[in-house]
Amino acid sequence: MPKKKRTRLTIGIILVALSLPSITPMLMEIAYKLEMNIRYDIDELNSDYAGAPDDTNYNGNIIRASHVTTGEPYTNDWDDLVYPSDIRLTVNGETIETLEDYPVQLLDSGDIAVEGLNRYGHAITYWAVEDKFTDRDFFAIMITQNGYDTRQIDEDGWIEGYVSTEDREFKLIKIAKDGNVSVELFTFENKSKLQTQLITENFSGPINYYLPPGYYYPSLLYPFLYPWVTTIVGIVLIAFNFPSGAINRRRTKAIPTN
């Protein structure tokens, strides 16, 4: 093999080897999202801050959220006035969950009444999940169990009660078509693929399964140049400089002649 060709092959191998640790989880994340899109049809009812109504009818099952204030209001980390409250979730009139001292926003900055699930921020979200492969469709209530109660301490921006995304804990309540209720507890670290889809995005970006949370906004250097460009260049160099001719000659010599 010529020296230049050997050099290009070596560079290609090095580029691919250096890119693999970063490109592998990215490719796995793409495959995961394709898998979820193929199998499930998932609709977040209170997405884009649209404010899903308190009462929701799912196949004749009435899901309702209500609250009773329990203390004096305070300012949260978004500079909104919220009231500590006990939130009650019911299905067909039966209480399935009571959340104690959760922040509830009653008025927005323009003194306009906040309605629906908007009052509870992202502490409670409603989802309709359709399994395209089976008939196990369900209505989901996703509850954040920690990190929801954040408060402004002073003008310098110190916040009490902040919990990082990786340390969040969740409760998933599933309501089947027949009204049967089941509960799943999980953390951000041990979430399943489907549970990951039911965690609402936050201001830092999407919730991923294989990639770190918040991976969303690419830059020219990362991940465009590294690892995508480096991987592609490396594969091209390997493909065009791989000593296939020498391997074929060895195979030809190994074939016995009559």
Side-chain angles (χ1 to χ4, degrees), residues 26-40:
M26 293 181 187
L27 293 174
M28 294 172 66
E29 191 70 33
I30 292 173
Y32 154 71
K33 290 179 179 177
L34 287 174
E35 176 189 350
M36 293 293 100
N37 288 333
I38 290 172
R39 175 157 186 178
Y40 296 102

Side-chain angles (χ1 to χ4, degrees), residues 202-222:
N202 57 30
F203 62 91
S204 63
I207 303 300
N208 300 305
Y209 186 69
Y210 292 105
L211 292 170
Y215 176 86
Y216 186 71
Y217 302 102
S219 66
L220 182 61
L221 179 62
Y222 180 90

Side-chain angles (χ1 to χ4, degrees), residues 16 30 34 44 55 58 62 75 90 96 107 114 120 138 141 145 152 158 166 184 193 212 227 230 234 238:
V16 172
I30 292 173
L34 287 174
E44 183 180 0
D55 294 355
Y58 175 70
I62 305 301
T75 302
T90 64
I96 59 172
L107 298 173
V114 179
Y120 312 132
F138 62 91
I141 303 174
Q145 294 192 287
Q152 289 277 11
W158 288 99
E166 294 87 344
E184 296 176 5
K193 289 183 177 181
T230 53
I238 293 173

Side-chain angles (χ1 to χ4, degrees), residues 219-236:
S219 66
L220 182 61
L221 179 62
Y222 180 90
F224 178 70
L225 181 60
Y226 173 86
W228 287 103
V229 172
T230 53
T231 299
I232 294 172
V233 171
I235 291 175
V236 170

Side-chain angles (χ1 to χ4, degrees), residues 98-149:
T98 299
L99 307 174
E100 298 181 354
D101 292 329
Y102 269 59
V104 174
Q105 184 181 359
L106 302 181
L107 298 173
D108 66 11
S109 57
D111 289 335
I112 299 175
V114 179
E115 300 179 352
L117 289 190
N118 273 355
R119 294 179 297 185
Y120 312 132
H122 284 310
I124 303 174
T125 53
Y126 285 173
W127 306 76
V129 181
E130 176 186 350
D131 190 333
K132 301 175 185 178
F133 291 1
T134 69
D135 192 35
R136 298 176 181 175
D137 305 342
F138 62 91
F139 186 93
I141 303 174
M142 179 66 81
I143 300 169
T144 300
Q145 294 192 287
N146 64 343
Y148 56 83
D149 187 15

Side-chain angles (χ1 to χ4, degrees), residues 71-87:
E72 294 298 320
Y74 59 89
T75 302
N76 66 9
D77 61 326
W78 289 94
D79 205 25
D80 294 322
L81 189 67
V82 295
Y83 293 76
S85 306
D86 289 348
I87 302 174

